[in-house]
């Protein structure tokens, strides 16, 4: 599968989880916890494949370098707030506000990737190159999905 199509699917999955999670209330503790765990896992896998495979390939292109560097930083900011959320009770009054910050940052990041980054990538890479990148992304994603949440976090921190 084309790398950009694979990432678009990931983006759609994350946006759907964020929407559902954003619609929950403090009284939906179990639902919030379950959805948050799912969100954290999806984001971790997605960020890992981007940072290990996609971003290094894109960064070699001068026209993509700045947006890739920004992408790394956007991942970092989301990770910081996600870590803060993980430490809070889902019934904490600040939990929803922090989730809104995550949602806004992720949605902004997705817009930039799907807009500027993907558009430039389609101009700079042949479709065969994007297919090859997609195969690598997909293979790594399958490996990561087999890992436990703890192993996934450890491999993310080691990167």
């Amino acid at each position: 599968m084309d790398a950009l199509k694979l990432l678009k699917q990931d983006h759609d999955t994350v946006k759907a989880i964020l929407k559902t999670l954003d619609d929950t209330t403090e009284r939906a503790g179990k639902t919030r916890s379950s959805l948050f765990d799912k969100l954290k896992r999806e984001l971790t896998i997605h960020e890992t494949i981007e940072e290990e495979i996609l971003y290094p390939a894109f960064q070699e292109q001068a026209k993509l370098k700045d947006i890739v560097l920004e992408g790394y930083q956007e991942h970092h900011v989301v990770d910081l707030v996600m870590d803060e959320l993980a430490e809070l009770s889902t019934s904490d009054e600040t939990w929803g506000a922090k989730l809104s910050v995550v949602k806004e940052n992720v949605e902004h990041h997705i817009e930039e990737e799907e807009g500027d980054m993907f558009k430039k990538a389609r101009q700079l890479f042949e479709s065969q190159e994007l297919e090859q990148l997609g195969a690598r992304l997909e293979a790594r994603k399958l490996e990561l999905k087999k890992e436990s949440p703890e192993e996934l976090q450890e491999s993310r921190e080691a990167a």
Side-chain angles (χ1 to χ4, degrees):
M1 174 186 297
D2 174 300
L4 306 181
K5 288 179 184 171
L6 183 143
L7 296 173
K8 172 80 167 86
Q9 286 178 352
D10 282 1
H11 291 166
D12 291 345
T13 298
V14 166
K15 286 193 298 191
I17 296 168
L18 280 166
K19 166 86 174 90
T20 305
L21 194 52
D22 199 33
D23 290 342
T24 64
T25 65
E26 293 172 16
R27 290 181 282 151
K30 287 183 183 177
T31 302
R32 272 187 171 181
S33 291
S34 173
L35 287 168
F36 179 76
D37 290 345
K38 187 175 180 182
L39 175 66
K40 187 160 180 63
R41 185 166 184 79
E42 289 292 330
L43 283 174
T44 301
I45 291 170
H46 181 78
E47 289 177 1
T48 301
I49 65 172
E50 281 189 339
E51 291 180 12
E52 287 181 1
I53 299 166
L54 186 81
Y55 285 0
F58 280 14
Q59 200 167 354
E60 293 174 7
Q61 300 287 333
K63 290 184 178 182
L64 287 171
K65 188 172 184 172
D66 287 344
I67 196 162
V68 167
L69 292 173
E70 187 176 333
Y72 280 115
Q73 295 310 309
E74 289 171 346
H75 285 180
H76 177 68
V77 169
V78 168
D79 290 346
L80 289 173
V81 183
M82 288 291 290
D83 288 346
E84 289 177 10
L85 270 171
E87 297 297 317
L88 286 176
S89 165
T90 56
S91 62
D92 187 289
E93 65 181 7
T94 63
W95 200 91
K98 284 186 186 293
L99 177 68
S100 292
V101 170
V102 167
K103 186 173 183 274
E104 288 169 11
N105 277 275
V106 168
E107 288 172 348
H108 168 78
H109 177 73
I110 288 171
E111 282 178 27
E112 285 192 344
E113 279 191 351
E114 290 181 4
D116 197 27
M117 182 187 284
F118 287 10
K119 183 180 173 185
K120 287 179 181 172
R122 290 224 182 271
Q123 294 169 352
L124 296 167
F125 290 87
E126 299 291 327
S127 60
Q128 181 183 359
E129 292 173 298
L130 292 174
E131 288 288 335
Q132 290 169 344
L133 263 177
R136 290 178 56 210
L137 291 169
E138 203 163 17
R140 181 64 175 131
K141 188 174 173 179
L142 288 172
E143 288 173 6
L144 292 166
K145 283 188 172 204
K146 294 176 187 173
E147 293 185 7
S148 70
E150 295 78 21
E151 291 170 326
L152 193 54
Q153 191 60 38
E154 285 174 16
S155 61
R156 180 88 179 116
E157 290 170 0

